[in-house]
């Protein structure tokens, strides 16, 4: 899937993650049916997701696959989380630790470059949740973030980025 120079603004979703975009392969993903999504340019502004098992005001992704984001702006997205370590004002990534993606690795490969994450936030009705003001990352095999601004985001835990069950994380030339 390729999305280029597209703006998503004021979208809302209840019941599952991803206020603007929800990415989930088939019910039982394998290395042969994971998904690759490329987002280049464009913006995600003031999108909202409310759910009892995830969040991601702008984008939610689960199980297995590859998500590449390049030159994209995320501002004012909001994720309302209700359970455990859920949240992610802009991104909620929930990879599977027992399913291979199209690269033959477990979970999700996430690559972010030249992006901006500003004033995204997550909260919880219960008060203890809401993790990852900009990003809530779980079950990623590789996470590469470069030349990216992550500023002025807020959450109960991890105002910028909240990570759980992640491996191979690289953050380069980012603020």
């Amino acid at each position: 899937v390729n999305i280029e120079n597209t703006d998503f603004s004021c979208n809302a979703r209840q019941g599952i993650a991803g206020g603007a975009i929800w990415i989930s392969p088939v019910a039982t993903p394998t290395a042969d049916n994971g998904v690759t999504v490329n987002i280049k340019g464009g913006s995600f502004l003031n999108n909202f997701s409310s759910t009892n098992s995830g969040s991601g005001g702008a984008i939610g992704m689960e199980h297995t696959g590859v998500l590449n984001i390049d030159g994209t702006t995320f501002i004012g997205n909001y994720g309302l989380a209700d359970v455990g370590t859920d949240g992610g004002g802009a991104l909620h990534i929930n990879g599977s630790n027992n399913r291979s993606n199209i690269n033959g690795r477990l979970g999700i490969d996430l690559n972010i470059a030249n992006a901006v994450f500003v004033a995204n936030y997550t909260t919880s009705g219960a008060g203890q949740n809401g993790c990852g003001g900009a990003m809530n990352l779980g079950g990623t095999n590789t996470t590469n973030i470069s030349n990216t601004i992550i500023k002025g985001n807020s959450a109960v835990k991890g105002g910028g980025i909240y990570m759980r069950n992640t491996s191979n994380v690289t953050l380069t030339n980012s603020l």
Side-chain angles (χ1 to χ4, degrees):
V1 176
N2 296 304
I3 301 169
E4 289 192 40
N5 301 318
T6 302
D7 298 320
F8 294 86
S9 179
C10 300
N11 297 288
R13 181 163 187 182
Q14 290 186 297
I16 201 161
I21 297 176
W22 170 240
I23 305 162
S24 180
V26 296
T28 308
T30 67
D32 297 326
N33 62 16
V35 62
T36 297
V37 177
N38 301 303
I39 300 172
K40 185 171 176 82
S43 64
F44 290 82
L45 308 173
N46 302 311
N47 297 288
F48 169 75
S49 176
S50 173
T51 176
N52 61 357
S53 61
S55 204
I59 299 172
M61 183 173 186
E62 75 171 8
H63 296 306
T64 183
V66 178
L67 178 58
N68 299 309
I69 297 171
D70 185 10
T72 305
T73 300
F74 295 83
I75 298 175
N77 298 288
Y78 171 46
L80 176 61
D82 291 330
V83 179
T85 57
D86 291 335
L91 302 180
H92 179 84
I93 307 298
N94 190 25
S96 173
N97 289 324
N98 62 2
R99 296 179 182 153
S100 298
N101 67 28
I102 60 173
N103 293 328
R105 296 189 292 261
L106 298 176
I108 293 171
D109 289 338
L110 175 64
N111 301 294
I112 300 172
N114 310 307
V116 175
F117 292 84
V118 174
N120 300 287
Y121 61 106
T122 186
T123 61
S124 166
Q128 77 261 14
N129 307 314
C131 301
M135 301 175 220
N136 184 306
L137 308 178
T140 59
N141 179 64
T142 60
T143 300
N144 297 302
I145 301 172
S146 63
N147 303 313
T148 294
I149 296 170
I150 304 167
K151 182 178 177 183
N153 303 284
S154 65
V156 173
K157 296 178 185 174
I161 303 172
Y162 180 83
M163 291 183 261
R164 57 192 161 68
N165 301 319
T166 59
S167 59
N168 303 315
V169 177
T170 304
L171 187 63
T172 309
N173 297 323
S174 298
L175 170 66

